[in-house]
Amino acid sequence: MATFYIQQFGCRATQADGAALERQLLDRGCTPAPDPASAAIVVLNTCTVTAAADAQARDSIRKIHAQNPAVRLIVTGCYAQRAPEELAALPGVTWVVGNSHKPQIPNLIDALSTGSLSEASINSQAGPPNNFVPTAALIPDALDAPFHSFVGAQFIAPHLGKISNPDDSLNHAQILTGNIFAHPEFLSAPIQGGESHHTRPILKIQDGCNNRCSFCVIPYVRGKSRSLPPDQVIREIQKLTAEHPPEPANLKVGQPILAVSSSTSFTSSTSSTSSTSPAREIVLSGINLGTYGRDLTPRIEFIDLLRRILDETPVERLRISSIEPLDVTQDLIDLFAGTHPIAQHFHMPLQSASDPILAAMHRWYRSEHYARRVQLIHDRLPHAALGADVIAGFPGETESDHAATLAFIDRFPFTYLHVFSYSPRPGTKAASLANQVPSHIIKRRARELRALGDAKSAAFRHSQIGRTLRVLTLHRDESSDSEYTPALSSNYLRVQIPGIFPSNRWLDVGITNEEGNYLIGKPAPALSEFSVNSVLSASSV
């Protein structure tokens, strides 16, 4: 079987997709390569949240092609769903596969590696055949229609034709994509942990978004909000935390990445062919995590899923990747504060603290709503991590709007920021606004936000000196000669521990000082061997 390499860009949901794909390929007998230059097949899992993300993907494609001209390069993810023809035109790209057809990638790799490429081999799976949408099959008038960059997501030809000779793809990439809104299923896959050397497996439990923020293209490339049913979430976490994960079922050629319909029952196989230690921390991810369960029948609330996970699984730490401010309720904060296994970490997108800008963004909250939640979190969990996404230079943003955002962030106990320079996304309402902010002003405002974010992070790190934190040791870089082991605390602090320790182990460390963006922690032997439940959590030390 082929050697492969997966290169990731973007959010944790995208990372979860990549980890699931990696597990599927390993289970089929494919061999991971250490880098793109030595792989026969490279999968580039893209992001399209900003123009910079698009540019990063294109630069990576060019670099991979230059280093390894013979490689079969499959480009997938959100950029591939949004603008497949744009990517297909780049030298070196063999296939462009949208999110709508991401489950077909293992079949495609099988076909590429065996030389048996055909439409039947790509679509050989249970259930109705998927739509193959090559560029030539698009309706001619499609390019004049709104959202024309969403090739295949708006117009599917009645006759799909045959896949051309695979050798042709060396000069012209093939496109496999479809209408993302016509896919009610939840596309996921069982993961066992350890993919891409991740100590903390990411479990995607929600995908898509029903909101229409004026700046955001993600709903158009991820589709409607849909959820992994709660019983399956529980089973996956039980597998991830099991001492001896069950042996995988034999995967048939053509078996897709798990496609779970939110309205039907399903089964799945486990997916580990290698021995992995039980996961101690699991990260729950999604595109709009707080909307989890609202598409299910019967409906279930996100907080109720968390309670079930805590009651029915032995997970030792559960981390929530990101959640919208209005989904952070008093009950949710109380659950975080009163439950040791939930990481003391909130990531709530802010975007702006100017109410007129929030209104123009079609955000559902105003700065006072956000402020109340920050204060509630800090009152109950004074040492919790509090992160936020912020956009610099949204159309119409004035200097006073920008100053209001800076002042708001400075006033509240944020511990880190993710700053995005605004860029128009095709098909979004904000892209058509006339009052676009000049690029040099956007860059300056982004620099000011990042500088403030760095200062807030440094202050938070400094506040932890002298405390004892329970940390999880992470994978060390095997090529590094460092005599430190990296670790992560409940409140999302990177800690370096003197000495070499196995990954995926709990240590209680006294924080002695900081070096750069890391804290230095000295192990406390009398505490570190105790059960995770026998010591105080970081929030209560």
Side-chain angles (χ1 to χ4, degrees):
M1 295 297 288
T3 57
F4 72 94
Y5 185 86
I6 299 176
Q7 186 152 329
Q8 303 268 40
F9 298 94
C11 66
R12 281 189 171 139
T14 298
Q15 293 173 29
D17 291 343
L21 174 60
E22 179 180 348
R23 178 53 52 187
Q24 292 276 310
L25 296 178
L26 292 172
D27 287 344
R28 288 166 182 250
C30 296
T31 303
D35 52 57
S38 56
I41 295 174
V42 171
V43 179
L44 199 72
N45 200 12
T46 62
C47 172
T48 193
V49 70
T50 63
D54 290 349
Q56 188 179 23
R58 293 192 299 270
D59 288 346
S60 182
I61 289 168
R62 295 185 183 101
K63 182 178 179 181
I64 291 169
H65 180 55
Q67 292 177 338
N68 187 358
V71 72
R72 297 287 187 139
L73 182 56
I74 300 172
V75 184
T76 188
C78 292
Y79 190 3
Q81 183 70 31
R82 184 185 69 78
E85 287 193 313
E86 187 173 302
L87 291 167
L90 295 177
V93 176
T94 308
W95 279 83
V96 180
V97 182
N99 283 332
S100 60
H101 284 66
K102 192 177 283 186
Q104 298 299 333
I105 291 177
N107 302 336
L108 178 57
I109 290 177
D110 281 344
L112 287 172
S113 61
T114 60
S116 59
L117 189 64
S118 69
E119 186 172 351
S121 67
I122 301 304
N123 287 326
S124 59
Q125 65 171 41
N130 286 288
N131 292 316
F132 172 67
V133 189
T135 304
L138 296 177
I139 294 174
D141 294 337
L143 297 183
D144 297 325
F147 297 99
H148 65 261
S149 60
F150 304 119
V151 178
Q154 300 296 320
F155 302 95
I156 297 178
H159 178 66
L160 299 175
K162 294 181 179 180
I163 297 176
S164 58
N165 188 310
D167 290 338
D168 294 343
S169 65
L170 294 175
N171 300 313
H172 181 74
Q174 302 294 321
I175 294 174
L176 185 60
T177 188
N179 184 354
I180 193 69
F181 295 103
H183 287 261
E185 68 273 11
F186 180 93
L187 302 179
S188 183
I191 56 175
Q192 191 56 59
E195 290 84 6
S196 302
H197 302 292
H198 288 166
T199 307
R200 308 171 302 132
I202 301 171
L203 181 61
K204 187 177 74 171
I205 65 169
Q206 185 275 337
D207 203 347
C209 184
N210 295 340
N211 295 339
R212 292 295 183 268
C213 297
S214 63
F215 57 84
C216 187
V217 74
I218 298 306
Y220 304 103
V221 297
R222 283 283 183 174
K224 294 183 291 187
S225 179
R226 52 212 186 275
S227 310
L228 188 65
D231 288 345
Q232 183 64 13
V233 175
I234 298 299
R235 284 196 289 269
E236 293 302 330
I237 292 177
Q238 287 171 339
K239 292 173 189 176
L240 288 168
T241 55
E243 288 289 342
H244 300 287
E247 290 298 319
N250 291 326
L251 292 178
K252 299 179 294 181
V253 173
Q255 180 173 335
I257 294 178
L258 179 66
V260 177
S261 171
S262 59
S263 60
T264 60
S265 60
F266 55 87
T267 59
S268 68
S269 66
T270 55
S271 55
S272 176
T273 57
S274 60
S275 175
T276 56
S277 60
R280 297 185 182 277
E281 176 177 320
I282 295 172
V283 182
L284 297 183
S285 74
I287 299 300
N288 191 350
L289 202 52
T291 64
Y292 173 86
R294 297 176 190 175
D295 59 304
L296 299 176
T297 303
R299 173 172 167 149
I300 180 174
E301 297 297 330
F302 180 53
I303 192 171
D304 295 325
L305 175 70
L306 295 181
R307 292 189 179 111
R308 278 198 62 182
I309 293 171
L310 297 172
D311 290 342
E312 299 177 31
T313 76
V315 65
E316 296 173 11
R317 181 184 289 165
L318 189 67
R319 193 177 300 272
I320 310 306
S321 61
S322 178
I323 188 167
E324 288 289 325
L326 292 185
D327 294 319
V328 178
T329 63
Q330 178 73 65
D331 287 345
L332 186 68
I333 296 169
D334 289 343
L335 183 66
F336 273 59
T339 310
H340 173 76
I342 299 184
Q344 309 302 284
H345 176 195
F346 289 84
H347 185 97
M348 297 192 302
L350 172 63
Q351 311 306 5
S352 175
S354 165
D355 287 347
I357 294 300
L358 289 171
M361 289 178 168
H362 295 179
R363 300 291 285 171
W364 289 86
Y365 57 86
R366 297 297 177 259
S367 58
E368 63 177 289
H369 303 133
Y370 195 103
R372 283 201 296 269
R373 283 153 178 81
V374 171
Q375 198 58 57
L376 284 170
I377 292 168
H378 191 62
D379 288 346
R380 293 300 310 276
L381 297 163
H383 295 289
L386 179 60
D389 300 331
V390 188
I391 295 174
F394 181 83
E397 183 186 66
T398 64
E399 288 299 332
S400 62
D401 294 325
H402 174 60
T405 299
L406 289 171
F408 184 91
I409 293 168
D410 188 52
R411 181 158 53 101
F412 288 102
F414 291 95
T415 62
Y416 67 91
L417 299 179
H418 291 166
V419 178
F420 298 88
S421 296
Y422 173 79
S423 58
R425 299 286 74 206
T428 62
K429 184 173 182 178
S432 63
L433 295 177
N435 49 354
Q436 302 287 321
V437 178
S439 60
H440 70 280
I441 295 178
I442 293 176
K443 291 177 182 177
R444 189 256 301 166
R445 291 177 184 173
R447 285 196 302 270
E448 292 173 357
L449 285 165
R450 291 190 180 104
L452 178 57
D454 290 345
K456 302 292 278 189
S457 295
F460 183 56
R461 287 194 303 271
H462 190 74
S463 74
Q464 304 300 294
I465 294 175
R467 300 186 68 233
T468 298
L469 303 179
R470 170 152 289 237
V471 299
L472 183 69
T473 56
L474 306 177
H475 281 291
R476 298 180 64 254
D477 182 354
E478 296 178 359
S479 64
S480 172
D481 57 1
S482 171
E483 296 184 357
Y484 287 81
T485 297
L488 188 71
S489 69
S490 173
N491 56 349
Y492 206 53
L493 287 165
R494 299 281 176 176
V495 180
Q496 293 279 13
I497 306 168
I500 308 302
F501 295 90
S503 63
N504 200 35
R505 297 293 182 270
W506 295 116
L507 289 175
D508 293 279
V509 297
I511 303 301
T512 59
N513 61 297
E514 55 184 314
E515 290 185 7
N517 294 328
Y518 292 89
L519 292 172
I520 305 299
K522 181 179 180 181
L527 292 175
S528 295
E529 299 302 319
F530 286 2
S531 163
V532 67
N533 293 317
S534 66
V535 296
L536 295 175
S537 68
S539 64
S540 58
V541 171

